[in-house]
Amino acid sequence: SDKAAYENFKKSINQFLTKLQEISPETQVIFIWAEPEIEKWFCIDIANCFPHNKPCGDKDFHRKLAEFLEKYRYEYDTNRDTCKEKFSDKFASILQECKVLNEYNKRNDGSLYLVKVDPSVIEKKDKFAAEGIKQLKNLKCGGRNGKSILR
């Protein structure tokens, strides 16, 4: 089940952190989990990632992405050991359908959109990422009195 897979994932992360603390106790680790995939953040922060809305079929592009984000449910396919429908694949098909991009490349395009994301928007709207973002906000450049590393 999805819950069992999540619990196994959490267990493996905790085992990793325990081992890391044994090896290098001074190392600080912050996990920010983009569930199910990083493209979710682009949909959440649509105003920064895609500031120009446009018509797309019977809806506009922003509405199509918002509805997709709202309706998407992660389902695990045990036979293939992966999700039934990848979030990023559906996201890419909406970008193509609405003529935002001819082709979405996660490695190239994903990094371009990621720098546009406002962490405070994600912190408010994504429970999986919120704690990691709070931890990042507390990190200071130049010591205790320095500025936060996030904008």
Side-chain angles (χ1 to χ4, degrees):
S1 78
D2 294 342
K3 184 173 173 103
Y6 172 72
E7 291 303 322
N8 285 337
F9 174 74
K10 253 178 36 177
K11 183 179 176 183
S12 66
I13 293 297
N14 287 330
Q15 289 170 341
F16 168 77
L17 290 173
T18 300
K19 190 67 170 170
L20 183 63
Q21 286 298 303
E22 290 171 9
I23 296 168
S24 179
E26 70 284 351
T27 301
Q28 184 175 3
V29 177
I30 298 173
F31 280 101
I32 301 178
W33 187 15
E35 182 282 325
E37 295 183 71
I38 199 71
E39 287 80 7
K40 177 182 178 183
W41 292 359
F42 309 156
C43 295
I44 289 173
D45 193 8
I46 197 166
N48 285 314
C49 291
F50 304 101
H52 305 292
N53 198 3
K54 60 192 295 183
C56 182
D58 59 339
K59 300 180 174 97
D60 62 54
F61 170 62
H62 285 185
R63 169 79 356 240
K64 229 175 201 18
L65 275 186
E67 286 180 2
F68 162 58
L69 179 62
E70 185 180 306
K71 292 177 181 175
Y72 181 84
R73 296 294 173 257
Y74 174 84
E75 292 182 63
Y76 191 73
D77 182 343
T78 53
N79 295 329
R80 297 182 318 140
D81 194 28
T82 188
C83 51
K84 289 184 180 179
E85 178 185 39
K86 288 189 64 156
F87 190 96
S88 57
D89 290 347
K90 181 64 177 168
F91 172 79
S93 73
I94 292 171
L95 293 181
Q96 290 172 350
E97 174 190 346
C98 296
K99 296 180 179 29
V100 174
L101 289 176
N102 290 331
E103 183 179 352
Y104 175 76
N105 178 290
K106 188 175 192 114
R107 178 175 292 164
N108 298 329
D109 300 317
S111 58
L112 294 174
Y113 287 110
L114 186 57
V115 298
K116 296 178 181 187
V117 169
D118 181 345
S120 64
V121 172
I122 304 307
E123 181 183 10
K124 289 176 193 162
K125 296 182 178 182
D126 188 344
K127 66 181 179 180
F128 294 105
E131 185 56 37
I133 292 172
K134 284 178 194 167
Q135 290 175 27
L136 273 179
K137 285 168 109 178
N138 290 329
L139 283 180
K140 306 289 182 193
C141 292
R144 189 178 299 227
N145 297 323
K147 291 186 171 196
S148 171
I149 65 170
L150 293 180
R151 51 183 148 131

